[in-house]
Amino acid sequence: MFNHHLLTQQQKADYKRFREYVKEYVEPFASEWDKQQGVPRSVIEKCAEAGFVGGIIPKEYGGGGWDTVTFGLLNEAFGAASSSLCGLFTVQTMVAMTISRWGSEEQKKQWLEPMAKGKVIGSFAMTEPKVGSDIQSIETTFTPQGENYLLNGTKRWITYSGLADIFLVFGKNEDKSMACIIPSNAPGVKVIPIRDMLGFRGAYLSQLEFTDCLITPSDLVGKPGLVIAYVAPYGLHYGRVSTAWSSTGLHRACVETASSYASERRQFGEPIMEHGLIRELLTDMVVEMEAARSLCLSGSIADDAHMPDAMEKILMAKYYASRAASRAAANTIQAMGAAGCHEENRAAEYYRNAKIMEIIEGTNQVLQRVLGKSFARKYKKKS
Amino acid sequence: MRIDTISRPQDTIRQFILDSVNLPDLDDDFDIFETGIVNSLFAIELMTFLEKAFNIKVTMDDLDMANFKTVNTTAQFVLNKQGASGV
C-alpha cells in the first residue's frame, strides 16, 4: 500500500477506495481484456458510475474536482492491474483538462459534463504517420473556407480513438497551429482500428482519417498560432501525470510478482529469494519504485499548488518512472526465467506495457532533449 | 520557490526569468522567445507564474505572444489585468 506521509487523510481514503475497486473489478479481468484487445465499454461505464472517469474535471462541470495528487493515485492503483484501462483516464483527462483551461464557455458546457459522467469519451489526436514528437512539423491542415475551415489529414496511434465520441485534433493553417473538437461520427471522419500493438492492447488505438471535415469557429480550441505553445502542452502535461503515476503502479505490480515468485520458487534447496543476486534485483526495483513515487508526488503537489515548475517536475517524474518501470518489468522476467516469458503469466504483459510508457506523451529521448537544455542552463555556475 | 511581489512587476518578472534561465542580467526590452533562451515549456511556466504571483487569470483572449515577449510587455499586461479586475 502506498502510504506516504505527505498524503492527506482524504487522499489516503480515496487511494484505499481505488485499490479495493481494482482488486474486485479490474485485476480478475484485465488479462482477458489484453488478450481480447479491448476494454469492454461496460467496464468504462462502471468506472464512470464510480466517479473515476471524470474525477479531475471541475465540480462546476459535473466532475469530482479532484486535485492532481488524487488523480495520480487513481492511475497508480489502476496502472498496477490494467495499463489499457488506465489509458482511458489518460486521454479523457488530456482532452477534458484542455477544454477546461482553453475551451470556450459553450465548449465547456457542451462537453465537460458528459465527459465527467463518462457519457462522452475524448481522444487526443496529435500523432501522425510522419510526425511524432516534432509537433511543429504537423501535417494535418485547417484550410479556410469563408469563416469556417476544412480539416484534412491523418492521425495514427491514437489511444482510445476506436471508442471515442470526440477527438481533439491538432493541425495547422499555413504556419499557424490550430486545434478543434470534432465528433467521431462527423462527416469525413474515418476510424481504422490498429490491432496487435506490443502493449496497451486493450486501449483501442486507431488511425484517424479526416477528409474535408467542416470545422466552424465554435469548434476551435485556443487561438490559432498559439496552440503548440499553450494548448497542446497543457493536455500533454496531464497525460504525463497519468503516465508517470500509472508507471509506478505497473512497477508495483512487477515488484509484487517478482517477490511472490522468488519466495516460492526453490533452486539449490532454498527459495531463490535467499540468493544474493535475486535480492539485489528486488532491492533495486523497490528503491527505484520509491524514487519514482517521490518524483510523482513532488510534481503533483507542485501542480496542485499552481507552481510554475510543476510542468518540469512532472516531466522528470514521467521520464524516471517510465524508465524505472521498464527496468522493473525486465528484472521481473529475469527473476522468473522461462515462466516470465510466457503469456500465461502477467509479467510478460507488464514487460510489453512498460515499454509503451517510455514512448507515450513524449518519448523519453524528447524529454531528455527538453530537460537537458533546461538543466544545462539552470545548474550552470554564474560567472 | 518563493514568490515575492512587493517590488514593481518588472522586478518580479525579471527575477523569475533570470532564475529560470540562469542569466546574470536581462534588459527589460529583450525578446525572450525570439532568442531561444527558454525551452518549450517556458510559455506556460511564465503564465503560471504570473497567475500565482499577481493573482490574475490568463484567459484565451489574453493569449498573444506580444503580451509576454519582454519584461516590459509582460509587466504592462499584468498591470492591465489588475486594473481590469480591480486587484
Side-chain angles (χ1 to χ4, degrees):
Chain A
M1 185 67 81
F2 180 33
N3 189 17
H4 199 284
H5 69 281
L6 290 177
L7 296 180
T8 64
Q9 290 304 315
Q10 182 62 52
Q11 288 163 346
K12 287 177 184 175
D14 285 335
Y15 181 60
K16 185 168 179 285
R17 182 166 67 98
F18 302 152
R19 289 289 299 271
E20 287 169 353
Y21 185 95
V22 166
K23 187 176 180 184
E24 186 168 357
Y25 298 111
V26 182
E27 265 174 19
F29 314 106
S31 184
E32 194 56 31
W33 302 337
D34 185 72
K35 288 185 180 71
Q36 297 296 326
Q37 302 200 25
V39 175
R41 183 98 194 198
S42 59
V43 171
I44 295 166
E45 287 167 359
K46 195 167 179 62
C47 284
E49 285 169 17
F52 299 156
V53 175
I56 200 170
I57 293 174
K59 278 185 177 172
E60 62 185 297
Y61 298 109
W66 290 351
D67 52 32
T68 304
V69 171
T70 303
F71 175 65
L73 293 171
L74 175 88
N75 283 274
E76 199 278 349
F78 279 74
S82 175
S83 297
S84 290
L85 179 53
C86 221
L88 172 79
F89 303 140
T90 310
V91 296
Q92 183 82 339
T93 300
M94 291 170 79
V95 174
M97 293 305 278
T98 303
I99 294 172
S100 176
R101 175 77 217 209
W102 298 122
S104 66
E105 201 49 45
E106 290 72 25
Q107 288 169 338
K108 291 176 191 177
K109 285 176 184 159
Q110 182 178 4
W111 299 118
L112 289 184
E113 196 161 320
M115 289 186 82
K117 292 181 168 48
K119 302 288 185 196
V120 165
I121 301 300
S123 187
F124 198 83
M126 175 171 282
T127 306
E128 300 180 349
K130 293 183 187 171
V131 180
S133 303
D134 180 16
I135 58 175
Q136 299 279 358
S137 302
I138 216 158
E139 292 181 345
T140 294
T141 56
F142 288 79
T143 307
Q145 192 181 65
E147 63 172 8
N148 300 319
Y149 296 89
L150 290 179
L151 176 68
N152 282 282
T154 302
K155 299 291 179 180
R156 192 160 170 78
W157 319 120
I158 308 303
T159 305
Y160 272 92
S161 60
L163 199 70
D165 304 290
I166 59 169
F167 305 126
L168 178 60
V169 185
F170 294 85
K172 272 187 172 178
N173 170 22
E174 296 182 345
D175 64 339
K176 288 188 172 176
S177 57
M178 296 182 69
C180 72
I181 301 168
I182 182 170
S184 58
N185 61 0
V189 178
K190 189 174 179 185
V191 181
I192 305 165
I194 301 171
R195 290 180 64 83
D196 302 327
M197 295 295 294
L198 175 70
F200 278 54
R201 285 186 178 169
Y204 297 94
L205 270 71
S206 302
Q207 173 161 309
L208 306 176
E209 294 176 1
F210 303 100
T211 306
D212 289 337
C213 300
L214 185 66
I215 303 298
T216 66
S218 64
D219 300 324
L220 298 178
V221 179
K223 266 189 184 174
L226 294 166
V227 165
I228 287 178
Y230 288 95
V231 179
Y234 203 75
L236 289 167
H237 169 65
Y238 284 98
R240 289 176 189 132
V241 170
S242 174
T243 304
W245 280 98
S246 178
S247 294
T248 66
L250 182 57
H251 196 143
R252 175 169 56 80
C254 291
V255 168
E256 289 168 352
T257 301
S259 300
S260 302
Y261 187 86
S263 300
E264 291 167 9
R265 170 78 166 171
R266 297 178 71 86
Q267 292 290 280
F268 304 107
E270 59 185 0
I272 62 172
M273 178 66 86
E274 300 301 324
H275 300 178
L277 292 173
I278 297 297
R279 287 185 178 182
E280 184 180 332
L281 280 184
L282 281 170
T283 301
D284 286 348
M285 286 167 70
V286 174
V287 171
E288 290 191 0
M289 177 174 71
E290 197 61 26
R293 287 170 166 180
S294 295
L295 285 170
C296 286
L297 200 52
S298 167
S300 300
I301 288 172
D303 199 57
D304 286 330
H306 204 56
M307 297 304 288
D309 59 351
M311 201 167 265
E312 186 172 278
K313 284 180 183 292
I314 289 296
L315 273 182
M316 284 193 269
K318 189 273 175 185
Y319 174 72
Y320 185 82
S322 62
R323 282 163 57 106
S326 214
R327 284 193 293 270
N331 282 343
T332 300
I333 290 189
Q334 197 65 30
M336 295 177 73
C341 298
H342 195 276
E343 289 286 342
E344 71 178 8
N345 196 303
R346 293 205 70 194
E349 185 189 333
Y350 299 153
Y351 185 73
R352 292 189 282 101
N353 286 328
K355 177 45 73 179
I356 306 296
M357 299 297 189
E358 295 191 86
I359 295 168
I360 55 176
E361 318 323 344
T363 65
N364 281 350
Q365 286 65 39
V366 163
L367 301 195
Q368 285 173 330
R369 185 182 150 117
V370 175
L371 290 171
K373 179 178 179 180
S374 172
F375 295 161
R377 288 223 168 83
K378 196 174 284 184
Y379 295 103
K380 179 184 68 181
K381 284 187 177 175
K382 286 179 184 167
S383 53
Chain B
M1 180 178 293
R2 193 174 68 89
I3 296 176
D4 177 8
T5 57
I6 294 171
S7 48
R8 293 186 315 145
Q10 276 92 338
D11 299 333
T12 307
I13 293 162
R14 188 187 320 105
Q15 195 56 52
F16 174 72
I17 297 169
L18 289 174
D19 289 344
S20 299
V21 299
N22 197 11
L23 284 174
D25 200 7
L26 182 66
D27 187 282
D28 287 354
D29 290 317
F30 185 80
D31 190 329
I32 56 174
F33 288 100
E34 277 292 309
T35 46
I37 62 167
V38 295
N39 67 19
S40 56
L41 302 179
F42 190 74
I44 287 193
E45 287 178 348
L46 177 62
M47 179 190 82
T48 308
F49 171 77
L50 298 175
E51 289 184 331
K52 189 169 179 75
F54 298 104
N55 195 27
I56 59 173
K57 179 80 175 173
V58 179
T59 67
M60 194 175 78
D61 291 337
D62 300 323
L63 288 188
D64 183 342
M65 292 312 281
N67 282 336
F68 309 114
K69 65 181 183 177
T70 71
V71 170
N72 276 332
T73 61
T74 307
Q76 190 57 52
F77 166 77
V78 167
L79 291 172
N80 290 345
K81 286 293 283 188
Q82 289 179 325
S85 63
V87 172

